[in-house]
């Protein structure tokens, strides 16, 4: 590669999205790329020519290691939708103008479904206007809903945090052994895909009885059936812990959180900002049964918990970054790196580059065959899929009793 490169981060952060930047950076340095720029706040910042030079922050292997242990988007993220090309050519021309100004040959974008749409739009524009610049997608999303790839970097770590925290919640909730149980409702992110909520199933083991029910957005949420289930569990158990996805919907198509609050805000991509499902359900249970309830919304915690990240996930996040760089160096463009599982026992996973058109804007749900017949649990098919993704740990670098992070100033 003769020119420079730029890497950006977009959408909801994950515990390992910085490992992907570290992967792009390290592979670029090995190949002798002169400058590795970072987009400050994704494509939105790039359009304002807001770039940083990663060499100003990474001064050797120790900083690469620290970056891998730093949560959130080191470069800054954004939720910016590229406009449709027709009538907005100036926005696209601006991207190429800034690329030319900094002699940037290839742009790498770490993100989920919406961010892959940006890669698709830019690579399509380049193809249609005979521009030589290349564009590569680096997968990232705790939602795990990108198609084609076996799984998405970010998912394994969020799943590990969720399963760990659920296990700790169950331990706490079981401690009272009261005649009437506390009903604990845990709300988990993931939008319209239940992958993250499914991770609650991983808490079950020889030292944990597991959650009592799991509600995924893949199944229509029936309030009456939910209440019957809670009442039955309350009669038969001294602790009840239930996992619900933020994206569960009732039969008329409304999210449960919209039933609680009609004015849910919407982002640039038209996604409703979901929150409040657990609080609403806990209130309904308390009102109908008089039982003690507790609502826990994992919210930001589940995607920022790098101290509980999966080593498998960190390594794969690094790998997809490095392999995106290699693919671009081979002349590829308009593609995303996918993780391709080659075996479960032992777990083995390779990568390849795949056409972005088959990936952008497509949401992959949890397969129906992994959901139990009653619709409130996951079977061993899911466990076999997910368990390898949460394996391994990377010890944080501790300072003053807390994990240390690499910070862009
Ligand atoms: O897409 C990742 C994600 O974490 C979703 O699971 C969640 O619904 C959304 O982002 C939250 O977005 P924001 O942080 O913009 O509210």
């Amino acid at each position: 590669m003769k020119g420079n490169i730029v890497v950006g981060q977009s959408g909801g952060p994950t515990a390992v999205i910085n490992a992907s930047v570290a992967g792009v950076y390290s592979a670029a340095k090995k190949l002798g790329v002169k400058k590795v720029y970072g987009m400050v706040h994704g494509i939105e910042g790039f359009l304002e020519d807001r770039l940083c030079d990663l060499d100003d922050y990474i001064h050797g292997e120790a900083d690469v290691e620290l970056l891998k242990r730093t949560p959130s988007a080191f470069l800054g993220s954004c939720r910016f939708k590229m406009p449709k090309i027709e009538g907005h050519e100036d926005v696209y021309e601006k991207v190429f103008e800034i690329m030319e100004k900094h002699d940037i040959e290839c742009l790498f974008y770490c993100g989920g479904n919406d961010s892959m749409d940006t890669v698709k739009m830019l690579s399509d524009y380049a193809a249609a206007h005979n521009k030589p610049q290349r564009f590569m997608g680096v997968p990232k999303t705790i939602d795990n809903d990108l198609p084609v790839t076996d799984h998405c970097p970010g998912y394994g770590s969020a799943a590990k945090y969720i399963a760990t925290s659920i296990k700790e919640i169950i331990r706490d909730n079981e401690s009272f052994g009261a005649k009437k149980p506390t009903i604990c409702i845990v709300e988990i992110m993931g939008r319209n895909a239940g992958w993250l909520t499914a991770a609650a199933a991983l808490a079950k083991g020889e030292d944990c009885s597991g959650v009592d029910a799991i509600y995924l957005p893949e199944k229509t949420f029936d309030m009456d059936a939910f209440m019957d289930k809670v009442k039955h569990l309350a009669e038969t158990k001294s602790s009840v812990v239930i996992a619900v996805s933020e994206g569960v919907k009732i039969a008329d198509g409304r999210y449960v959180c919209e039933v609680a609050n009609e004015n849910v805000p919407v982002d640039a991509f038209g996604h409703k900002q979901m929150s409040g499902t657990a609080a609403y359900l806990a209130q309904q249970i308390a009102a109908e049964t008089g039982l003690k309830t507790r609502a826990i919304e994992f919210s930001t915690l589940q995607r920022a918990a790098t101290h509980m990240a999966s080593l498998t996930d960190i390594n794969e996040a690094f790998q997809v970054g490095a392999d995106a760089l290699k693919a671009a160096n081979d002349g590829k463009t308009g593609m995303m790196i996918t993780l391709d599982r080659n075996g479960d026992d032992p777990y083995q996973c390779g990568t390849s580059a795949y056409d972005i058109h088959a990936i952008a804007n497509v949401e992959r749900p949890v397969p129906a065959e992994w959901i139990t017949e009653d619709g409130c649990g996951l079977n061993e098919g899911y466990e076999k899929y997910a368990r390898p993704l949460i394996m391994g740990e990377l010890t944080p670098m501790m300072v003053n009793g807390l994990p240390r992070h690499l910070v862009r100033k």
Side-chain angles (χ1 to χ4, degrees), residues 12-13 79 141-143 189-191 196 246 267 273-274 303:
R79 289 205 189 276
T141 169
I142 59 165
D143 299 349
M189 278 182 170
R191 282 216 183 99
L196 262 191
E246 63 175 6
D267 73 12
Q273 283 177 15
M274 288 174 260
R303 67 183 192 200

Side-chain angles (χ1 to χ4, degrees), residues 246-264:
E246 63 175 6
V248 284
K249 280 182 181 168
I250 56 175
D252 67 9
R254 275 179 304 158
Y255 291 110
V256 170
C257 64
E258 285 180 288
V259 178
N261 167 22
E262 280 175 14
N263 303 314
V264 174

